[in-house]
C-alpha cells in the first residue's frame, strides 16, 4: 500500500473538433501531467479523442442526489418555456 | 436577439498592428476552415479571426443583456398573470443567452470584466433594435414575433459557424428562441381577435417595428464589404441581404394572417421569383441609431450602468462571505 493515495481526476474527452468535451471516466495520478498521460492511455487507446481535460475530482462541486427534486423543482411547472405550449393557428407557416 | 458586430471594421487590423503570422500558418488555417473543420479555443488562429470573434460574440452578448430592457418595461403591466410569467421567462432566457455568449467569448482570452466594462463605458456596441421604445403591450408581441424572428434567421446559420464554442452556444440559444417567437405571435393573434382599438394598437406597433427589424440584418451587401472576410472564415454563412429576404418572405404572410398592413408601399410579391420585393431601408436612421442617437440609446446605457452600480454591494457581500468561509476552513 502506498502511504498516500494518488488523487482522483475526472476525465473529459472531445471526440472531434466542434463537439464539446464529454465525461469519460476518471483516473488516479500523482500530478496533473500524469493525469493527462493516464487519461490518454486509459480512454483514448483507439483514437477516441483529439483533446482531453482532466480535473481533480475533489474540485468538482456536484448537486446532491437526495435534493434532486427540490433543486430542479423551479423548472417543473413552467411549461410555457416550451414552444409547444403555444398553439400556432392553421395557415401560419415558418414560425 | 442578435448582434450586428460582423459589419464593423476591425480597428486593430486597420492600424496595421504587427503580428508574426506566416503565410504557411494562414494557409493551413484556411485549409481547415475550407474543410469544414471546427476551430476550438486552444487551436492556433489568426489574431484577426480571434479579434473578430471576440467583437462579434461580446456584442451579441451585450445585445442579449440590453435586450431585456424594452421588454422589462412591460413586466409590471402585462395584461394577465399568465402573460406576466411568460414574459418573465423570456427575459430570463435573454439573460441566459447573454451568459452563454460571454462564456464563449471568454474562451478566446478576453475577460468578463473587460467585456462588461466596455459595455458600461459605452465603448462596446449592441444591436440597433434595442434602442427603440416599447410604447404599448402590442410592442411586446411585435418584439417576440419580429425581433426574435429576425434573430432566429440570423442565428440558425451561426450554429454552423467555424468557431466551436460560439456554434455550440448558438445551438442552445436557437432551441430557446422558438418559444420567444411563438409567445410574441400568440400575443398578436389574441389582439387580432380583439376590438378595433386592440387591432389599431397592433398595427401601430407593427408600423414602428417593421423597418427597424429589417435593419437588424445590417447594411446591404454592397455596403458591407468587410463581411467578406467573415464569410471566408465561415463565421458568417449567409449574406445580410439574403437573410433579410428570407425574413421578409417568411413574415409577410404571417402579417397578412394577423390582418396587418405592411408599412411599405413598394412591397409586392414577384410571381416569377416567388420572393417579396420591398422598399428602400432608411439607412440614415440605421447609422444614427448605431452611432448612439436612437430614441433610447442613452436611457438603455444609463439603466445598465445603474443596475450594475446597484448590484455592487451584492457582489462585494458574496466575496466577503466566501473569503470568510475560506479563512475559517483554513484555521
Amino acid at each position: 500500500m502506498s502511504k498516500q493515495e494518488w488523487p482522483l481526476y475526472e476525465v473529459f474527452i472531445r471526440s472531434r473538433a466542434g463537439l464539446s468535451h464529454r465525461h469519460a471516466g476518471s483516473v488516479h495520478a500523482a500530478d496533473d501531467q500524469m493525469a493527462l498521460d493516464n487519461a490518454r492511455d486509459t480512454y483514448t487507446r483507439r483514437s477516441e479523442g483529439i483533446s482531453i481535460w482532466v480535473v481533480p475530482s475533489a474540485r468538482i462541486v456536484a448537486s446532491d442526489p437526495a435534493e434532486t427534486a427540490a433543486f430542479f423543482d423551479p423548472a417543473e411547472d413552467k411549461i410555457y418555456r416550451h414552444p409547444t405550449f403555444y398553439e400556432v393557428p392553421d395557415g401560419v407557416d415558418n414560425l | 436577439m442578435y448582434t450586428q458586430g460582423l459589419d464593423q471594421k476591425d480597428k486593430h487590423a486597420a492600424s496595421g498592428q504587427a503580428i508574426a503570422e506566416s503565410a504557411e500558418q494562414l494557409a493551413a488555417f484556411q485549409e481547415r476552415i475550407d474543410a469544414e473543420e471546427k476551430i476550438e479555443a486552444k487551436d492556433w488562429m489568426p489574431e484577426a479571426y480571434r479579434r473578430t470573434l471576440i467583437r462579434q460574440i461580446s456584442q451579441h452578448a451585450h445585445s442579449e443583456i440590453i435586450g431585456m430592457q424594452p421588454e422589462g418595461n412591460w413586466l409590471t403591466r402585462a395584461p394577465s398573470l399568465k402573460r406576466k410569467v411568460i414574459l418573465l421567462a423570456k427575459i430570463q432566457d435573454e439573460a441566459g443567452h447573454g451568459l452563454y455568449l460571454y462564456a464563449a467569448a471568454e474562451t478566446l482570452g478576453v475577460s468578463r470584466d473587460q467585456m462588461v466594462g466596455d459595455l458600461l463605458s459605452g465603448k462596446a456596441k449592441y444591436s440597433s433594435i434595442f434602442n427603440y421604445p416599447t410604447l404599448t403591450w402590442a410592442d411586446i408581441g411585435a418584439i417576440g414575433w419580429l425581433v426574435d424572428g429576425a434573430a432566429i434567421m440570423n442565428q440558425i446559420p451561426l450554429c454552423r459557424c467555424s468557431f466551436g464554442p460560439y456554434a455550440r452556444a448558438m445551438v442552445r440559444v436557437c432551441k430557446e428562441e422558438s418559444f420567444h417567437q411563438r409567445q410574441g405571435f400568440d400575443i398578436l393573434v389574441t389582439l387580432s381577435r380583439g376590438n378595433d382599438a386592440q387591432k389599431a394598437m397592433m398595427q401601430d406597433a407593427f408600423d414602428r417595428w417593421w423597418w427597424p427589424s429589417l435593419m437588424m440584418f445590417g447594411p446591404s451587401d454592397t455596403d458591407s464589404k468587410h463581411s467578406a472576410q467573415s464569410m471566408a472564415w465561415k463565421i458568417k454563412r449567409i449574406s445580410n441581404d439574403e437573410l433579410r429576404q428570407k425574413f421578409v418572405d417568411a413574415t409577410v404572410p404571417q402579417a397578412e394572417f394577423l390582418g396587418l398592413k405592411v408599412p411599405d408601399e413598394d412591397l409586392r410579391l414577384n410571381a416569377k421569383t416567388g420572393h417579396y420585393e420591398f422598399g428602400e431601408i432608411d439607412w440614415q436612421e440605421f447609422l444614427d441609431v448605431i452611432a448612439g442617437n436612437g430614441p433610447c440609446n442613452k436611457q438603455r446605457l444609463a439603466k445598465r450602468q445603474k443596475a450594475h452600480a446597484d448590484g455592487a454591494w451584492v457582489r462585494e457581500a458574496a466575496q466577503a462571505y466566501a473569503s470568510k468561509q475560506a479563512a475559517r476552513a483554513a484555521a
Side-chain angles (χ1 to χ4, degrees), chain B residues 184-253:
Chain B
F185 195 75
D186 192 64
I187 289 172
L188 298 182
V189 167
T190 305
L191 289 175
S192 75
R193 293 170 182 162
N195 60 29
D196 287 349
Q198 288 169 316
K199 287 176 189 168
M201 183 169 80
M202 174 173 68
Q203 180 68 52
D204 167 65
F206 186 54
D207 290 347
R208 286 181 288 106
W209 288 96
W210 174 252
W211 290 105
S213 298
L214 296 192
M215 293 175 196
M216 283 179 71
F217 296 93
S220 100
D221 294 349
T222 47
D223 298 325
S224 176
K225 296 197 178 65
H226 31 275
S227 67
Q229 180 62 72
S230 289
M231 292 282 251
W233 277 332
K234 299 193 176 172
I235 296 172
K236 189 176 176 130
R237 294 269 184 174
I238 307 180
S239 82
N240 294 353
D241 286 337
E242 270 180 273
L243 285 168
R244 190 166 12 243
Q245 185 66 54
K246 275 170 75 112
F247 176 74
V248 171
D249 289 342
T251 310
V252 170

Side-chain angles (χ1 to χ4, degrees), chain A residues 14 16-20 80-95, chain B residues 32 38 40 82 85-86 89 92 145 168 178-179 181-183 185-186 189 193 250 254 257:
Chain A
R14 187 200 302 287
R16 61 183 171 84
L19 301 180
S20 45
Y80 45 83
R81 281 178 176 158
H82 299 278
T84 45
F85 179 76
Y86 304 88
E87 195 190 329
V88 179
D90 287 344
V92 177
D93 298 320
N94 298 311
L95 206 65
Chain B
R32 291 193 62 194
K38 294 288 183 207
E40 294 294 346
K82 177 186 159 194
V85 293
I86 290 171
Q92 194 180 26
W145 173 43
R168 290 191 290 274
S178 170
F179 137 55
Q181 195 190 16
R182 284 197 186 185
Q183 65 84 33
F185 195 75
D186 192 64
V189 167
R193 293 170 182 162
Q254 295 164 355
F257 177 88

Side-chain angles (χ1 to χ4, degrees), chain B residues 2-282:
Chain B
Y2 186 63
T3 172
Q4 288 143 340
L6 268 178
D7 295 300
Q8 283 138 32
K9 266 205 183 97
D10 189 301
K11 288 193 189 89
H12 296 274
S15 69
Q17 192 181 335
I19 302 155
E21 287 173 355
S22 70
E24 288 78 20
Q25 278 177 311
L26 292 169
F29 180 80
Q30 191 61 47
E31 219 166 277
R32 291 193 62 194
I33 299 277
D34 293 341
E36 293 292 332
E37 272 183 50
K38 294 288 183 207
I39 308 303
E40 294 294 346
K42 292 179 93 174
D43 294 351
W44 185 88
M45 63 184 83
E47 258 316 290
Y49 178 85
R50 180 188 302 275
R51 281 198 307 263
T52 299
L53 278 167
I54 288 176
R55 191 185 59 244
Q56 179 176 349
I57 301 172
S58 63
Q59 289 184 15
H60 197 160
H62 299 329
S63 299
E64 304 284 352
I65 299 302
I66 296 291
M68 291 192 280
Q69 290 188 35
E71 295 180 301
N73 186 35
W74 280 88
L75 258 183
T76 57
R77 292 174 288 163
S80 68
L81 185 57
K82 177 186 159 194
R83 294 293 185 199
K84 183 175 181 169
V85 293
I86 290 171
L87 185 58
L88 192 57
K90 180 188 189 288
I91 295 170
Q92 194 180 26
D93 275 356
E94 307 302 355
H97 296 176
L99 298 180
Y100 305 157
L101 286 159
Y102 281 131
E106 282 178 276
T107 67
L108 290 160
V110 62
S111 78
R112 182 79 58 109
D113 278 355
Q114 174 75 47
M115 290 185 280
V116 171
D118 285 350
L119 174 63
L120 294 175
S121 72
K123 187 180 161 210
K125 301 261 186 250
Y126 54 85
S127 177
S128 58
I129 195 75
F130 305 116
N131 293 309
Y132 291 87
T134 42
L135 304 179
T136 70
W137 173 250
D139 288 32
I140 301 306
I143 287 181
W145 173 43
L146 297 173
V147 175
D148 288 278
I152 291 169
M153 278 302 170
N154 258 319
Q155 289 173 156
I156 285 175
L158 284 174
C159 296
R160 295 186 296 123
C161 145
S162 61
F163 186 57
Y166 192 25
R168 290 191 290 274
M170 278 299 104
V171 169
R172 208 173 248 275
V173 166
C174 282
K175 262 189 206 163
E176 298 179 358
E177 293 279 11
S178 170
F179 137 55
H180 297 182
Q181 195 190 16
R182 284 197 186 185
Q183 65 84 33
F185 195 75
D186 192 64
I187 289 172
L188 298 182
V189 167
T190 305
L191 289 175
S192 75
R193 293 170 182 162
N195 60 29
D196 287 349
Q198 288 169 316
K199 287 176 189 168
M201 183 169 80
M202 174 173 68
Q203 180 68 52
D204 167 65
F206 186 54
D207 290 347
R208 286 181 288 106
W209 288 96
W210 174 252
W211 290 105
S213 298
L214 296 192
M215 293 175 196
M216 283 179 71
F217 296 93
S220 100
D221 294 349
T222 47
D223 298 325
S224 176
K225 296 197 178 65
H226 31 275
S227 67
Q229 180 62 72
S230 289
M231 292 282 251
W233 277 332
K234 299 193 176 172
I235 296 172
K236 189 176 176 130
R237 294 269 184 174
I238 307 180
S239 82
N240 294 353
D241 286 337
E242 270 180 273
L243 285 168
R244 190 166 12 243
Q245 185 66 54
K246 275 170 75 112
F247 176 74
V248 171
D249 289 342
T251 310
V252 170
Q254 295 164 355
E256 285 166 356
F257 177 88
L258 293 168
L260 290 168
K261 185 182 178 308
V262 180
D264 179 356
E265 295 304 327
D266 298 322
L267 184 89
R268 62 190 175 88
L269 182 63
N270 183 325
K272 263 188 227 151
T273 61
H275 294 297
Y276 284 92
E277 292 169 358
F278 51 96
E280 186 63 23
I281 289 168
D282 182 353

Side-chain angles (χ1 to χ4, degrees), chain A residues 28-42:
Chain A
H28 282 279
D31 59 37
D32 294 352
Q33 185 56 48
M34 189 195 285
L36 266 181
D37 292 343
N38 288 355
R40 176 198 59 195
D41 296 343
T42 310

